Amino acid sequence: MAAERNEPLRLGTIAPNFQAETTKGPIDFHEFIGDNWVILFSHPEDYTPVCTTELGEMARLEPEFSKRGVKLIGLSANTLGSHEGWISDIKEVTGSQVNFPIIADKERKVAYLYDMIDYQDTTNVDEKGIAFTIRSVFFIDPKKTIRAILSYPASTGRNSAEILRVIQSLQTGDKHKVTTPINWVPGDDVIVHPSIKGDEATRLFPNLRAVKPYLRFTPLPEID
């Protein structure tokens, strides 16, 4: 399947809108986002081993995302009928019920729109030789802005804890005007944003600890 690649999606761009059929009915993506955070994540194909473990784990963690105002939506390059049968398998294998929608993208329309197609692994194709998707993750905020993107090859399963951590970092930064250091998890000290200067910094963060003028740590209340 030959198709020109769209302009690459970058952090800070508006998530492209689309209409699609899903396991929860037809959607307009921007309407689906509404005033929520959204994680859109793709899978190469239904009834595959790595994807099955990923969907089961994301289904298990969905309550953790929901309580943070985050909606999950998956995508796989298959039909609705295939998705529905696969969801039953996921329940059987992992014990988790997939309650979030999965987009049916047999024609790869959304995959091409979001540049999820595999250009590296020549074996990651369907019976017609059409490239399947890679394991993409898009973090989209309530303003419909893409805030983070992760991409994994088909052979590598994602880390669900890292997906949750990224959401926690983005939301913490937005709320408190901070950034998060390497390996940060909720409860760890954060870094005061460089744009917060002098008296404003000490007023906002009375427990500020300056290691260097450009590196100032502060504790924050742990988020749930």
Side-chain angles (χ1 to χ4, degrees):
M1 180 177 180
E4 291 186 6
R5 297 181 71 168
N6 293 311
E7 285 294 317
L9 297 177
R10 296 184 171 91
L11 304 188
T13 61
I14 298 298
N17 196 26
F18 59 85
Q19 291 73 43
E21 295 294 329
T22 80
T23 51
K24 297 297 183 180
I27 65 161
D28 175 280
F29 189 52
H30 281 188
E31 290 181 2
F32 174 80
I33 295 172
D35 296 324
N36 304 281
W37 286 78
V38 166
I39 295 176
L40 167 64
F41 55 104
S42 62
H43 296 269
E45 189 180 17
D46 296 356
Y47 297 104
T48 51
V50 177
C51 298
T52 298
T53 63
E54 288 187 322
L55 262 293
E57 180 64 7
M58 291 299 283
R60 184 185 72 82
L61 288 175
E62 185 177 17
E64 293 298 316
F65 290 101
S66 294
K67 73 182 185 181
R68 295 173 173 85
V70 181
K71 298 170 75 172
L72 302 179
I73 183 166
L75 176 148
S76 188
N78 299 92
T79 64
L80 282 180
S82 175
H83 287 354
E84 289 162 358
W86 185 35
I87 286 170
S88 296
D89 269 17
I90 293 167
K91 171 70 172 176
E92 177 186 346
V93 171
T94 69
S96 298
Q97 179 63 47
V98 176
N99 293 315
F100 51 81
I102 303 175
I103 297 166
D105 196 33
K106 179 71 173 175
E107 304 302 320
R108 319 294 199 272
K109 292 180 180 179
V110 179
Y112 274 105
L113 182 64
Y114 276 76
D115 198 21
M116 299 172 172
I117 296 298
D118 195 338
Y119 291 88
Q120 171 179 268
D121 182 359
T122 58
T123 68
N124 189 31
V125 297
D126 67 10
E127 70 279 358
K128 295 181 180 178
I130 301 173
F132 280 128
T133 55
I134 56 174
R135 303 185 191 283
S136 296
V137 187
F138 292 86
F139 299 79
I140 302 167
D141 71 16
K143 295 180 180 178
K144 302 174 180 60
T145 301
I146 296 173
R147 298 290 299 277
I149 303 172
L150 303 175
S151 294
Y152 298 72
S155 59
T156 302
R158 284 162 282 212
N159 186 320
S160 58
E162 173 64 3
I163 294 173
L164 182 60
R165 191 189 77 93
V166 170
I167 277 288
Q168 292 170 312
S169 172
L170 291 170
Q171 292 182 338
T172 298
D174 286 357
K175 182 177 180 181
H176 296 287
K177 300 181 180 179
V178 297
T179 58
T180 57
I182 187 169
N183 297 331
W184 175 87
V185 293
D188 290 353
D189 284 358
V190 296
I191 297 172
V192 178
H193 195 278
S195 66
I196 308 300
K197 307 290 186 182
D199 291 343
E200 183 184 11
T202 54
R203 177 177 60 81
L204 291 174
F205 308 105
N207 296 315
L208 181 150
R209 174 172 57 89
V211 177
K212 292 285 185 180
Y214 59 84
L215 180 57
R216 300 165 298 167
F217 289 97
T218 186
L220 285 179
E222 183 172 350
I223 62 174
D224 293 330

